[in-house]
Amino acid sequence: MATVAEVMNTNVLTVDPTASIGEAAEKMIEAGVGAVVVMEDMVRIVGIVTERDLMRAVAQRARAAEAKVRQWMTESVVTITPDTDIHEAAKMMFQRNFRHLPVVNSEGRLLGIASLRRLSQYEFEHGK
């Protein structure tokens, strides 16, 4: 049984909720990722900003330099633990239409992020 720990990215991009959506987008582009975890005081996960959130902001004519991440982030963050089976993680993503899930330990500390791309790549390379 392969777990999320084997495929998660441990170099997680984070942003403060007071940052602008433009700053979040710049970080995402520079890192080549589709999501950034929103952390309050770099301790507690308070949201996630994805490409979809940024598209929603653009569609509603938000000003990238002025609109704050907290206005556009998804607040109800679903997380998984590193021992989650990769098939269970992928199933959860498909059912909820997610492409990214933050990975946390039992105390809720951010350890990594699992992406549907990495899960699919693992399955392609190791599947039967």
Side-chain angles (χ1 to χ4, degrees):
M1 171 179 90
T3 64
V4 169
E6 297 174 55
V7 298
M8 71 180 185
N9 182 354
T10 57
N11 187 21
V12 185
L13 190 62
T14 63
V15 68
D16 189 87
T18 61
S20 71
I21 58 170
E23 290 173 85
E26 284 177 26
K27 282 185 165 191
M28 289 166 64
I29 289 169
E30 287 172 9
V33 298
V36 58
V37 178
V38 184
M39 302 283 291
E40 194 166 66
D41 301 323
M42 295 309 291
V43 177
R44 188 171 64 93
I45 298 173
V46 294
I48 188 167
V49 173
T50 67
E51 294 162 319
R52 289 180 185 148
D53 296 317
L54 295 176
M55 290 298 293
R56 192 169 40 89
V58 168
Q60 293 186 24
R61 309 276 193 268
R63 294 180 181 262
E66 297 168 12
K68 300 300 179 197
V69 164
R70 78 167 27 102
Q71 296 170 266
W72 297 99
M73 68 184 186
T74 299
E75 292 182 60
S76 302
V77 181
V78 175
T79 61
I80 55 177
T81 58
D83 61 344
T84 303
D85 177 80
I86 63 167
H87 294 104
E88 186 60 34
K91 181 180 175 184
M92 185 183 305
M93 288 179 175
F94 282 121
Q95 288 175 338
R96 296 177 182 227
N97 201 23
F98 293 161
R99 289 184 283 196
H100 303 89
L101 286 172
V103 181
V104 298
N105 66 12
S106 58
E107 290 86 40
R109 193 175 123 246
L110 182 64
L111 301 175
I113 192 160
S115 69
L116 193 53
R117 177 185 297 149
R118 283 189 137 181
L119 294 174
S120 299
Q121 181 180 3
Y122 182 89
E123 185 61 25
F124 178 76
E125 292 172 355
H126 299 94
K128 296 179 171 111

